Amino acid sequence: MKFFSFWRSLASFRVRIVLNLKGVSCEVIDVDLMKGHQRDPAFRAVNPQMVLPALVEDDGHVLFQSLAIMEYLDETHPQPPLLPATPLARARVRGLAQIVACDSHPLIVPRVREFLEHGFHLDEAQRMKWIHNWIGAALTALETNLAGSSETGRYCQGDAITIADICLVSQFAGANFFKHDLKPFPTVRRIAEACMQNDAFARAHPLKQPGAPAAA
Ligand SMILES: N[C@@H](CCC(=O)N[C@@H](CS)C(=O)NCC(=O)O)C(=O)O
């Protein structure tokens, strides 16, 4: 398999964690988002949406969108399972994951930040206000849910790692990139730190990837 990714991409981070947890190896192809290489014809031919990540199966099938790729890998490599067994728990896990991957992360990606800058001429301070607003909204929703639910355990759903934890960790890393104050979110922080003790998470961290700076 070929994995198109970039060190700073939070959606790629999510898929990288799953690849590590499942012990799946692939050829990693870097697409430099800071140089706009996602818009190069070579990558556009792989993913017409021009976003990372993309996973290309050996037979040429292209997989895109991190949540879809994560569930595909979970179905094709069932151990360890990343979704709980019961429908109610699965719905909660998917809901938590989607707070991050569907409602927060899409508002802070490079193409949105670039449009705020060039389409609306927002200055750096205004763009940062936008970013912190949406990072904080998701962290608040996660913290309220996790702290208030008896289903929360060592991880988001009991004591087994699920896709909710993987998304939570990507939100946590993004918040750190933008130096968001994490003190008001002790449950999110506790779960993120528990996950990062797992080698599959630690090795997948953006700052551990080739090309990453020592600190963001
Ligand atoms: N919802 C997508 C997000 C894809 C996405 O926006 N990826 C970012 C990197 S994390 C990207 O490639 N952005 C390129 C751009 O915004 O131009 C997913 O979860 O896969």
Side-chain angles (χ1 to χ4, degrees), residues 9-11 14 33 38 50-53 65-66 105 109-111:
S9 158
L10 297 172
R14 297 194 277 269
L33 295 182
Q38 70 274 29
M50 297 178 281
V51 299
L52 293 170
Q65 286 288 338
S66 63
H105 181 216
V109 290
R111 62 196 177 284

Side-chain angles (χ1 to χ4, degrees), residues 7-214:
W7 69 266
R8 199 184 154 97
S9 158
L10 297 172
S12 302
F13 178 29
R14 297 194 277 269
V15 171
R16 199 157 46 236
I17 294 168
V18 178
L19 291 167
N20 289 349
L21 285 168
K22 305 280 186 185
V24 177
S25 57
C26 30
E27 181 190 348
V28 178
I29 299 171
D30 241 21
V31 178
D32 191 331
L33 295 182
M34 282 155 150
K35 293 186 178 152
H37 288 177
Q38 70 274 29
R39 293 184 285 272
D40 286 354
F43 182 64
R44 196 187 286 216
V46 175
N47 184 1
Q49 199 192 353
M50 297 178 281
V51 299
L52 293 170
L55 192 69
V56 182
E57 270 287 11
D58 291 339
D59 66 3
H61 275 99
V62 180
L63 296 137
F64 49 91
Q65 286 288 338
S66 63
L67 286 178
I69 299 174
M70 290 157 74
E71 291 212 18
Y72 169 79
L73 288 168
D74 199 38
E75 288 168 14
T76 53
H77 300 78
Q79 295 304 324
L82 297 177
L83 283 167
T86 67
L88 273 177
R90 274 205 300 280
R92 177 168 180 264
V93 162
R94 287 186 171 121
L96 291 169
Q98 287 173 22
I99 289 173
V100 174
C102 302
D103 288 345
S104 175
H105 181 216
L107 294 166
I108 65 161
V109 290
R111 62 196 177 284
V112 168
R113 303 203 310 265
E114 283 160 20
F115 194 66
L116 292 176
E117 183 176 0
H118 303 297
F120 288 106
H121 307 291
L122 299 191
D123 63 25
E124 170 80 8
Q126 290 169 317
R127 296 198 305 276
M128 283 303 134
K129 192 170 176 188
W130 168 280
I131 287 169
H132 285 288
N133 181 66
W134 298 119
I135 289 178
L139 287 170
T140 301
L142 288 172
E143 180 65 32
T144 307
N145 187 307
L146 293 166
S149 170
S150 60
E151 293 176 52
T152 306
R154 175 169 166 80
Y155 301 113
C156 290
Q157 181 71 27
D159 295 332
I161 288 168
T162 65
I163 62 169
D165 301 294
I166 295 167
C167 289
L168 175 143
V169 162
S170 76
Q171 180 76 14
F172 193 76
N176 273 322
F177 280 163
F178 289 104
K179 305 198 179 346
H180 195 90
D181 180 13
L182 289 157
K183 277 196 284 304
F185 312 107
T187 318
V188 171
R189 216 167 52 188
R190 171 181 70 71
I191 294 174
E193 284 166 4
C195 289
M196 291 312 293
Q197 286 172 18
N198 182 310
D199 184 58
F201 282 76
R203 279 189 292 121
H205 193 276
L207 297 178
K208 294 273 175 59
Q209 306 315 304

